[in-house]
Amino acid sequence: DTLAWYRKIVGDYEPALMLARVGNVLVSRLANAPLIPYDLEAPLVDARRHLEQMVGEDLAAEHPSTGLRRRLEALEVEAVKAQMLLKVVVPVGGLSAANLSRVNEILLSLERAWLDERGLPDRPWYRNLFAASDPHSGYAAWMLPLLRYAHESHGVDWAQALPRYERVLDRIQRHLAALHALLEE
């Protein structure tokens, strides 16, 4: 959008001003929070739900999604433990400034655990294997895009899909390692 388009089509700056104010408050709260407000469990529940929608729940035990589903469930259990620990320890001042800083670093690493240098097929600039825009419209979000693309492409070629499952499993292992570091902190 250009300023000329905005003046011609929208005209009124009040909604844009309100959104700018809301964005500023959000950024300020995030920047000044002692602990990064990161929900440890919700993304994993979403990932498992999207995986189940993608491949169905009645697949054979040898299907690659079975191991992925189990790992996501195990990761959810660890995330619940860590989330509960943070809800109890941080509000009562149970972490020193150095430990709080380390916990924030770990929380950031949880998000970064989903990054893969190879990116997505045909779109290597999308390096996040947790979520990306869909390749068709560019607007809708695709959860587990590496796998979803395999499932939505002319039927699933398991020889091609298996390495993709392994890449996602590797990201889950990284996420789990970061959660374990958080629990040890």
Side-chain angles (χ1 to χ4, degrees):
D1 300 340
T2 64
L3 189 54
W5 174 90
Y6 196 89
R7 286 182 178 150
K8 181 179 178 182
I9 303 300
V10 180
D12 183 13
Y13 286 107
E14 279 304 310
L17 183 59
M18 179 195 61
L19 287 174
R21 287 179 178 146
V22 168
N24 286 339
V25 169
L26 176 67
V27 168
S28 174
R29 287 186 179 172
L30 287 172
N32 294 309
L35 181 69
I36 295 171
Y38 186 83
D39 188 334
L40 299 171
E41 185 182 6
L44 305 173
V45 171
D46 276 349
R48 187 174 40 82
R49 184 174 47 86
H50 283 278
L51 177 67
E52 289 169 356
Q53 287 173 351
M54 222 182 314
V55 298
E57 295 187 47
D58 56 347
L59 293 168
E62 67 274 359
H63 189 277
S65 70
T66 304
L68 186 58
R69 197 175 314 165
R70 285 188 194 127
R71 294 262 178 91
L72 281 170
E73 289 168 356
L75 195 53
E76 283 177 49
V77 169
E78 296 300 309
V80 168
K81 288 180 197 174
Q83 190 83 39
M84 290 174 61
L85 180 67
L86 289 176
K87 283 183 180 178
V88 170
V89 171
V90 173
V92 297
L95 289 177
S96 68
N99 283 354
L100 190 59
S101 177
R102 177 71 182 128
V103 166
N104 279 329
E105 287 175 22
I106 293 169
L107 291 173
L108 287 173
S109 74
L110 288 171
E111 189 66 28
R112 292 178 183 141
W114 290 98
L115 299 180
D116 185 308
E117 289 300 319
R118 291 175 281 178
L120 299 177
D122 302 325
R123 302 184 304 156
W125 54 90
Y126 283 106
R127 298 182 318 131
N128 193 314
L129 300 188
F130 183 75
S133 62
D134 85 64
H136 309 298
S137 73
Y139 290 105
W142 270 16
M143 302 298 288
L144 303 173
L146 188 66
L147 303 179
R148 184 158 176 196
Y149 190 78
H151 284 272
E152 297 213 1
S153 303
H154 318 292
V156 178
D157 173 5
W158 291 115
Q160 181 186 24
L162 190 56
R164 292 177 182 203
Y165 274 93
E166 290 169 355
R167 284 174 64 191
V168 173
L169 276 170
D170 180 57
R171 300 298 139 209
I172 290 172
Q173 283 305 112
R174 289 175 186 221
H175 198 97
L176 187 58
L179 270 179
H180 284 155
L182 183 64
L183 286 168
E184 291 170 4
E185 197 61 36

